[in-house]
Amino acid sequence: MAPQPGHQAVVRVPVATLWADPDAVRPIDGPALRDRPDVAAWVAGMDRDQWVGDCVLTQLLLGEPVLVTGAGPDGWVRVVALGQPAAKLAPRGYPGWMRSAHLAAPADAGPAGPALVVDVRRTTLHEAAGGPPALTGVVLGTHLTSAGRLADGWRPVRAPGRVEPLWAPEGDLVPLPAERPEAKEVLAVAERLRDLVYIWGGLSTDGIDCSGLVHLAWRRYGVTLPRDADDQAEATTPLALDDERPGDLYFFARPGRRIHHVGIVTAEPHGGRRRMLHACYLTRRVVEEELPPDRVATLVGAHRV
């Protein structure tokens, strides 16, 4: 049954895309719209210009909750992504449109197993320990719940829309930390995504944007940051320039404009020179570099999470 307005639902596919409007999607977006979306194929099928189409708002990961706020034609629903704060857009979370086939009803309340998180770029959930694949392309930062004991190097987990557990390779999952991480730990996660393709609105290890990189790296440790760079600046603590340390954030804006870019500090400043890791719109990749002159000219502050 399709999720109904006024009810919560959860994402049942590894990566679901949130769109600006059903009419905004392009022919090239077909793989991301399938009932079983193939986000890797979608990214591979686009050229550099299509990677930055503004029809994509953000992406949601397996198990992520949404509030359904309206129904559209041909299997589309309007939702609010409850795990992605977006204060300037909506008080409850990031609003947009998605395919109803990518959602399932929340599981009935019951005893919850230990919380886990995917700690590799991509993993596959299987029908049984060592059995056939059930969900491929489950990405770094996806939160899962243990469904029982290990069996021969496989861990059972709960998956939305399924009664029976699915199974993941034991080494691909780690316990979700109960304590706040150090910034350098979050930086280490982000550094594992170097050279990843820049996708406007991307929030997965198939493609990501600047604020998505920051959001996903902190999500890996169970910390929820806003989705967009300007909201991330509002939610973090400003520092005096030259007080920043690795793992802090640099924010960028043009005169009289709102913040449009964010990067993660990778080294202490030295002689006025600064370095950061960021998903770069210009190179269309996640890169670590010294701030070039155009970035220095638009740097408006350093913040700490």
Side-chain angles (χ1 to χ4, degrees):
M1 180 181 295
Q4 298 301 306
H7 291 79
Q8 286 197 27
V10 293
V11 175
R12 66 181 300 164
V13 297
V15 179
T17 302
L18 195 71
W19 306 86
D21 188 274
D23 293 332
V25 298
R26 308 155 296 182
I28 195 70
D29 298 323
L33 300 172
R34 298 171 187 162
D35 288 356
R36 295 171 67 94
D38 189 338
V39 175
W42 173 60
V43 172
M46 291 189 287
D47 61 30
R48 285 173 55 90
D49 291 336
Q50 291 165 332
W51 284 344
V52 296
D54 59 5
C55 56
V56 175
L57 298 177
T58 185
Q59 291 178 312
L60 293 82
L61 307 188
L62 179 69
E64 194 168 338
V66 303
L67 175 66
V68 179
T69 59
D74 302 323
W76 287 90
V77 288
R78 188 170 63 245
V79 304
V80 171
L82 299 173
Q84 299 190 31
K88 67 180 182 297
L89 299 175
R92 294 172 293 186
Y94 218 107
W97 290 86
M98 64 186 301
R99 301 293 296 167
S100 62
H102 297 171
L103 296 172
D108 294 334
L116 306 168
V117 61
V118 175
D119 194 39
V120 292
R121 274 203 181 197
R122 294 166 63 92
T123 191
T124 296
L125 302 184
H126 296 253
E127 298 285 358
L135 287 175
T136 59
V138 178
V139 301
L140 175 76
T142 299
H143 294 184
L144 297 166
T145 302
S146 175
R149 297 181 179 179
L150 292 170
D152 298 323
W154 293 84
R155 184 181 294 278
V157 295
R158 298 293 177 194
R162 294 176 179 264
V163 176
E164 297 298 322
L166 298 181
W167 294 76
E170 176 190 1
D172 291 355
L173 307 178
V174 297
L176 190 66
E179 298 182 355
R180 186 180 181 87
E182 295 185 16
K184 64 182 181 181
E185 295 177 284
V186 179
L187 172 60
V189 170
E191 286 179 329
R192 288 156 55 187
L193 303 184
R194 289 193 195 203
D195 204 40
L196 191 66
V197 171
Y198 180 103
I199 298 292
W200 183 276
L203 189 62
S204 85
T205 52
D206 292 309
I208 205 160
D209 66 13
C210 66
S211 56
L213 179 66
V214 172
H215 178 95
L216 187 65
W218 281 92
R219 182 191 290 206
R220 155 64 181 82
Y221 286 96
V223 177
T224 300
L225 288 185
R227 175 59 180 88
D228 288 344
D230 52 347
D231 290 325
Q232 290 173 352
E234 290 292 329
T236 52
T237 302
L239 304 169
L241 282 175
D242 292 337
D243 285 349
E244 67 268 24
R245 298 294 179 264
D248 291 333
L249 304 176
Y250 285 133
F251 289 99
F252 302 84
R254 298 179 182 88
R257 302 286 188 90
R258 65 181 177 88
I259 287 169
H260 67 271
H261 190 64
V262 59
I264 306 175
V265 179
T266 57
E268 295 185 11
H270 179 71
R273 301 167 69 177
R274 297 179 165 83
R275 301 191 67 87
M276 70 175 178
L277 179 78
H278 65 133
C280 179
Y281 179 96
L282 298 176
T283 64
R284 303 289 203 269
R285 296 284 174 180
V286 175
V287 297
E288 195 278 336
E289 63 180 357
E290 182 178 328
L291 269 62
D294 62 316
R295 294 295 185 193
V296 173
T298 56
L299 177 65
V300 293
H303 288 218
R304 183 162 294 160
V305 177

